[in-house]
Amino acid sequence: MTVRATSRALAAAATALLALGGVAACSDGGGGGSDPDKVDVVAAFYPLQFLAERIGGDRVVVDNLTKPGAEPHDLELNPRQVGQVVDAELIVYLTGFQPAVDEAVAQNGGDRAFDVAGVAPLRDAAAGGHEHEGEAGHEEESGGKDPHLWLDPTRLAKVGDRLAERLGRADPDHAADYTARAGALRAELATLDTGYAEGLRTCQRREIVTSHAAFGYLAERYRLEQIGLTGLTPESEPSPQRLAEVAAEAREHRAGTIFFETLVSPKVAETIAREVGARTAVLDPIEGPPAEGDYLSAMRANLKTLRTALDCS
């Protein structure tokens, strides 16, 4: 073995030992300071945190692995976060969305893991709209499935019902409370769904040009057509050919607004907007916590933005 190879091997071994030590430190004492009278829940990213907190109420302590302002697609876990996964009584995640979380769950999750992707079949990444073959994204990682199911309130309600069941299994004495809170949230999500259906029923346009293809579930539910600049991963850079294609489609559909999102640079959206003489606006995929309010208020803000952009009556 060469000196360089030996050094690399020693460095890798040291990193592994540090990680194991960090996990052990986090695991000492059964949860690192969590309330022993409550259910310790780890949520992989914000919409799952929202569900766990709303349905769990004061019976749960929820840790979100994705910190505010971070892009959840490319999350890397530190030893402390792996320790949270080890110690959690329930791990709520979405397979195929965050590879680092998938790996941690596979190694440490056991029967404490709740994969929300299994609640209902995920839509194909390229189903409908203008999501073109060859766009960069999570197509390879997630088997060609779109993970952004929370942008359809009816799907999120189904996930909430299943989450209530899992919490009830972890804390049987309060199972009825979890079921009741899930029912209350389902009613709020049904109201949100009705608001979207009515608010987007009559619009001058039905095409939405987005910075990345996160809005397939929303588009499918409310009869819109998504034109994504990139695939499912927001960091992927569109090719010059793709930019030209989107600009041509935006002109064809007379798109007056090009949407960008909260956690990603607006530069590409601004480039297209200048090219076609459109304005830009934020359409939040709600992958991270909103600056104000919660999932419900962010979805209502998205509806208001869409109604303005699509000239809905």
Side-chain angles (χ1 to χ4, degrees), residues 5 11 17 59 70 100 145 151 185 204 219 230 255 260 273:
L17 287 172
R59 290 296 311 158
K145 299 298 181 182
L151 293 173
L185 179 59
Q204 294 297 314
T230 65
F260 66 96

Side-chain angles (χ1 to χ4, degrees), residues 125-150:
H130 283 65
E131 295 158 12
H132 294 270
E133 182 179 354
E135 287 179 354
H138 275 264
E139 290 86 346
E140 296 82 5
E141 295 171 6
S142 61
K145 299 298 181 182
D146 182 351
H148 302 86
L149 61 87
W150 59 91

